[in-house]
Structures are given as structure tokens and as C-alpha cells.
Amino acid sequence: MNRSSARRFYLVGFAVLMAFDTLAQLSFKMAGTQALPLSLSLQWLQRVFSQPWIYGALVGYAGAFFTWMHLLRRAPIGPAFAASHLEIVSVMLVSHWLFGEAIGLAQVAGAGLIVAGIVCLALSEPEAPTEAQPA
Amino acid sequence: MADGLTPLVALLWLLNVLTDSGGQLAFKAAAALPGDAAGLDRWRAMARRPWLWIGIACYGAEFLLWLAFLSLVPLSTGVLLGSINIVAIMVAGRLLFNEQLTPLRVLGILLVSAGVAVVGLQP
């Protein structure tokens, strides 16, 4: 794999991963809201599984899982680990846009600290071989 | 989230951290199979031990706990608070699997925890 096709593989791969993760979290929120009021009961579970959003969450999870597994065949684990958590930023933007949630100073500062921490954790992973064996 | 951080929300958050960490650790234990079975044999061997099933049960519970949690807090706040799972896993890996805590990892853990605290403790 030459350099520019490798770059395309990562860009497309992580964009797809982020899209699946964002879809999953949006669906969780929609499914949870539609199933309110919350209670530890069969009725709540019935409300959860009787509307379409819960399947959006399942599709998002499954899609993210397979995308992640595919990415890990080539991407070094450290940077990949960091990039796989960046959905907190996309989810924040989407929840402001779709649900009109107020994004205050605390959210922005918190997200910045969390992303900085994730980058540290990613850099601390031992360097993996850049070209892994094809599975 | 003045009206959001009720005892119920805090409990759901805590249970989510516990089931997420429990599930990941159980899967790790399931994958660390003695012997060198491969393919289908490996899956059969894993299915005979409790770890794989404990992991699946944790993930099932976590799915519902996360759904319940997000139904009560704004999504943008919820996903940030959920980031504490990263720290929980890292600390649990250190305690149970003797993984190394390098200075950079400690810094990462502190930064993520601080970020979660800033979001969780906002007035």
C-alpha cells in the first residue's frame, strides 16, 4: 500500500467509524427519550424495543465494531485508540444542531481535557508495526 | 445539568462504568485462553468457561443502563461523562493484568478525569 492510498484508507476508515459511533449515540438518546418515563419494568423494556431508534443503536454499534476491526488490521493501536474516541466531539456538535442542546464553557473545556488525555494515552501505547500481517 | 445530576442519574452512570469495565475485563480473560486452540475449537473452549458469558451479560446490561442514563441527561453531557470508562479500564488493567502505568498514561488518566469532573460538576 503506497502512502497516499494508506492516507485515504485511514481518513475514510475513521470517518466511517465516527459516523457509526455518532449514529449509535444519537439513536440511544432518541430511543431513551421515546421510552420515557424510565422505570425498572417490563413496560419500559417494551417501549424501548417497540420503536425504531433502538435498532439504529444496534446498527451503529455493529457497524462501529466491524469498522474498528478492519482498521486495526493496518492502523497502529495507539493513534487508532485516540481517533476512535473523537466521536465525543462529533456527538456534541450533532446534539447542539439536532436537539438544540446548549454547549457551555464546561462542555468545551471538558471535551478539550478529555481529548488531550486520550491523545496522551494513545501516544503511550508501544509503537505497533505499521504494516501488520494481512489477517 | 442542574436538574440532571440526580441520585438516579449518578447511580446509572456508576453502574454503566462497572458493567463496561466488567465486560471488557471478562472478554480479556476469555481471550487469554490457555493452550493454542484456533478457529472454531478456540470458540468452543471459550464457551465452556464462564468468562465469555459474563462479558456478554455485562454488555447486555450496559446497553440498557446507557440507554436509561442518556434518556435523563443531555446527549452532549452524557457522552463526555461516559469517557470515564477509558480511565476505569486503564486502572483495572493495571490492577488485574499488571499493565504498565507510564508517566504519559498517568497524565492521560488525569486529563480525562479532569475533563469528566469539569463537565459533571458544572453548576
Side-chain angles (χ1 to χ4, degrees):
Chain A
M1 196 161 66
N2 66 37
R3 185 172 280 178
S4 80
S5 85
R7 191 183 303 139
R8 199 166 57 233
F9 173 80
Y10 292 140
L11 277 179
V12 172
F14 284 113
V16 171
L17 180 65
M18 204 186 252
F20 273 125
D21 274 331
T22 310
L23 168 72
Q25 299 301 343
L26 271 178
S27 304
F28 268 115
K29 178 68 183 169
M30 292 299 287
T33 308
Q34 305 232 332
L36 285 171
L38 182 59
S39 68
L40 197 65
S41 67
L42 214 55
Q43 282 82 357
W44 180 70
L45 278 181
Q46 270 168 359
R47 286 199 297 277
V48 163
F49 286 100
S50 67
Q51 32 92 19
W53 283 107
I54 194 70
Y55 302 101
L58 290 171
V59 167
Y61 260 25
F65 174 78
F66 286 112
T67 311
W68 176 241
M69 287 310 188
H70 186 63
L71 273 167
L72 275 191
R73 287 171 62 179
R74 294 213 184 103
I77 181 79
F81 172 75
S84 75
H85 285 92
L86 294 182
E87 98 258 10
I88 58 170
V89 176
S90 59
V91 169
M92 229 167 67
L93 296 175
V94 170
S95 34
H96 174 66
W97 175 52
L98 280 185
F99 305 132
E101 289 181 10
I103 307 296
L105 192 61
Q107 266 89 354
V108 175
L113 284 167
I114 292 168
V115 169
I118 290 168
V119 169
C120 287
L121 292 176
L123 292 177
S124 76
E125 291 291 330
E127 192 72 35
T130 43
E131 284 290 327
Q133 299 292 319
Chain B
M1 46 187 284
D3 57 336
L5 198 58
T6 60
L8 177 62
V9 168
L11 178 70
L12 288 171
W13 179 68
L14 201 64
L15 289 175
N16 176 262
V17 177
L18 286 176
T19 48
D20 185 70
S21 314
Q24 301 241 17
L25 293 170
F27 282 133
K28 168 94 180 168
L33 198 61
D36 53 0
L40 206 55
D41 282 343
R42 190 178 144 79
W43 282 101
R44 280 208 198 93
M46 285 199 289
R48 275 197 299 272
R49 303 196 313 162
W51 293 116
L52 187 69
W53 302 107
I54 293 174
I56 290 171
C58 279
Y59 268 37
E62 185 197 359
F63 188 85
L64 293 175
L65 287 165
W66 185 242
L67 184 84
F69 174 73
L70 278 189
S71 71
L72 299 179
V73 297
L75 179 59
S76 50
T77 304
V79 291
L80 293 175
L81 293 178
S83 301
I84 202 66
N85 284 345
I86 302 169
V87 172
I89 288 296
M90 189 93 15
V91 171
R94 170 73 189 83
L95 292 177
L96 292 176
F97 296 103
N98 237 0
E99 289 176 7
Q100 284 204 321
L101 276 188
T102 62
L104 204 51
R105 279 192 183 161
V106 173
L107 178 64
I109 287 172
L110 290 177
L111 282 169
V112 174
S113 308
V116 172
V118 165
V119 176
L121 298 176
Q122 68 180 297

PDB file of all heavy atoms in Angstrom, chain B residues 20 24-25 49 57 83 93 114:
ATOM      1  N   ASP B  20     -19.314  -1.788  32.066  1.00  0.00           N
ATOM      2  CA  ASP B  20     -18.397  -1.637  30.932  1.00  0.00           C
ATOM      3  C   ASP B  20     -17.035  -2.227  31.266  1.00  0.00           C
ATOM      4  O   ASP B  20     -16.483  -3.017  30.504  1.00  0.00           O
ATOM      5  CB  ASP B  20     -18.247  -0.158  30.551  1.00  0.00           C
ATOM      6  CG  ASP B  20     -17.393   0.025  29.310  1.00  0.00           C
ATOM      7  OD1 ASP B  20     -17.850  -0.346  28.218  1.00  0.00           O
ATOM      8  OD2 ASP B  20     -16.255   0.515  29.424  1.00  0.00           O
ATOM      9  N   GLN B  24     -15.377  -5.650  29.643  1.00  0.00           N
ATOM     10  CA  GLN B  24     -14.103  -5.645  28.918  1.00  0.00           C
ATOM     11  C   GLN B  24     -13.094  -6.578  29.573  1.00  0.00           C
ATOM     12  O   GLN B  24     -12.364  -7.301  28.892  1.00  0.00           O
ATOM     13  CB  GLN B  24     -13.525  -4.221  28.901  1.00  0.00           C
ATOM     14  CG  GLN B  24     -14.453  -3.230  28.241  1.00  0.00           C
ATOM     15  CD  GLN B  24     -13.827  -2.586  27.016  1.00  0.00           C
ATOM     16  OE1 GLN B  24     -12.840  -3.081  26.480  1.00  0.00           O
ATOM     17  NE2 GLN B  24     -14.399  -1.489  26.574  1.00  0.00           N
ATOM     18  N   LEU B  25     -13.057  -6.565  30.915  1.00  0.00           N
ATOM     19  CA  LEU B  25     -12.108  -7.431  31.620  1.00  0.00           C
ATOM     20  C   LEU B  25     -12.470  -8.901  31.428  1.00  0.00           C
ATOM     21  O   LEU B  25     -11.602  -9.756  31.278  1.00  0.00           O
ATOM     22  CB  LEU B  25     -12.078  -7.076  33.106  1.00  0.00           C
ATOM     23  CG  LEU B  25     -11.493  -5.691  33.416  1.00  0.00           C
ATOM     24  CD1 LEU B  25     -11.717  -5.317  34.862  1.00  0.00           C
ATOM     25  CD2 LEU B  25     -10.014  -5.649  33.078  1.00  0.00           C
ATOM     26  N   ARG B  49     -16.007 -21.955  29.318  1.00  0.00           N
ATOM     27  CA  ARG B  49     -15.626 -21.277  30.549  1.00  0.00           C
ATOM     28  C   ARG B  49     -16.577 -20.098  30.783  1.00  0.00           C
ATOM     29  O   ARG B  49     -17.240 -19.643  29.857  1.00  0.00           O
ATOM     30  CB  ARG B  49     -14.178 -20.803  30.440  1.00  0.00           C
ATOM     31  CG  ARG B  49     -13.234 -21.966  30.139  1.00  0.00           C
ATOM     32  CD  ARG B  49     -11.802 -21.615  30.409  1.00  0.00           C
ATOM     33  NE  ARG B  49     -11.457 -20.325  29.843  1.00  0.00           N
ATOM     34  CZ  ARG B  49     -10.389 -19.631  30.226  1.00  0.00           C
ATOM     35  NH1 ARG B  49      -9.616 -20.088  31.176  1.00  0.00           N
ATOM     36  NH2 ARG B  49     -10.113 -18.476  29.665  1.00  0.00           N
ATOM     37  N   ALA B  57     -23.114 -10.912  29.294  1.00  0.00           N
ATOM     38  CA  ALA B  57     -24.148 -10.438  30.223  1.00  0.00           C
ATOM     39  C   ALA B  57     -23.894  -8.984  30.620  1.00  0.00           C
ATOM     40  O   ALA B  57     -24.817  -8.161  30.679  1.00  0.00           O
ATOM     41  CB  ALA B  57     -24.183 -11.340  31.460  1.00  0.00           C
ATOM     42  N   SER B  83     -16.880   9.130  29.132  1.00  0.00           N
ATOM     43  CA  SER B  83     -15.449   8.954  28.850  1.00  0.00           C
ATOM     44  C   SER B  83     -14.687   8.403  30.045  1.00  0.00           C
ATOM     45  O   SER B  83     -13.554   7.942  29.896  1.00  0.00           O
ATOM     46  CB  SER B  83     -14.814  10.288  28.439  1.00  0.00           C
ATOM     47  OG  SER B  83     -15.452  10.803  27.314  1.00  0.00           O
ATOM     48  N   GLY B  93      -6.862  -2.559  34.190  1.00  0.00           N
ATOM     49  CA  GLY B  93      -5.821  -3.320  33.504  1.00  0.00           C
ATOM     50  C   GLY B  93      -4.532  -3.341  34.316  1.00  0.00           C
ATOM     51  O   GLY B  93      -3.845  -4.356  34.399  1.00  0.00           O
ATOM     52  N   ALA B 114     -10.079  14.869  34.782  1.00  0.00           N
ATOM     53  CA  ALA B 114     -10.356  16.293  34.998  1.00  0.00           C
ATOM     54  C   ALA B 114     -11.457  16.767  34.059  1.00  0.00           C
ATOM     55  O   ALA B 114     -12.362  17.509  34.460  1.00  0.00           O
ATOM     56  CB  ALA B 114      -9.080  17.108  34.781  1.00  0.00           C
TER      57      ALA B 114
END
